Amino acid sequence: MIRHDGIERLRHPDVGHLELIFQDLDLPLSGRAVHNLITYTAEPGAASEHRLELLASRAVT
């Protein structure tokens, strides 16, 4: 398993700028196939966390 991580800066048209922490895991399968699992999170209490919560609430409605 190979792991990469870092910070991704994005601009969402509805909520503005997001600074997200990402982790990219390479998950090897049998043979030569590889799947990637990528997670994005925001720093707790940061403006990006509140913007993600706003996006989530819009998706529900």
Side-chain angles (χ1 to χ4, degrees):
M1 176 169 52
I2 298 173
R3 179 179 161 202
H4 309 279
D5 55 4
I7 296 176
E8 184 81 24
R9 291 173 180 87
L10 309 165
R11 186 183 186 301
H12 191 279
D14 293 333
V15 296
H17 295 283
L18 296 166
E19 186 169 290
L20 304 175
I21 302 162
F22 75 89
Q23 291 187 333
D24 180 354
L25 303 171
D26 295 335
L27 305 173
L29 299 176
S30 60
R32 297 177 62 175
V34 174
H35 283 215
N36 288 59
L37 173 65
I38 303 171
T39 61
Y40 289 92
T41 57
E43 192 71 37
S48 291
E49 180 184 45
H50 299 296
R51 292 177 180 138
L52 282 179
E53 290 170 352
L54 178 59
L55 280 176
S57 70
R58 289 182 178 194
V60 171
T61 59

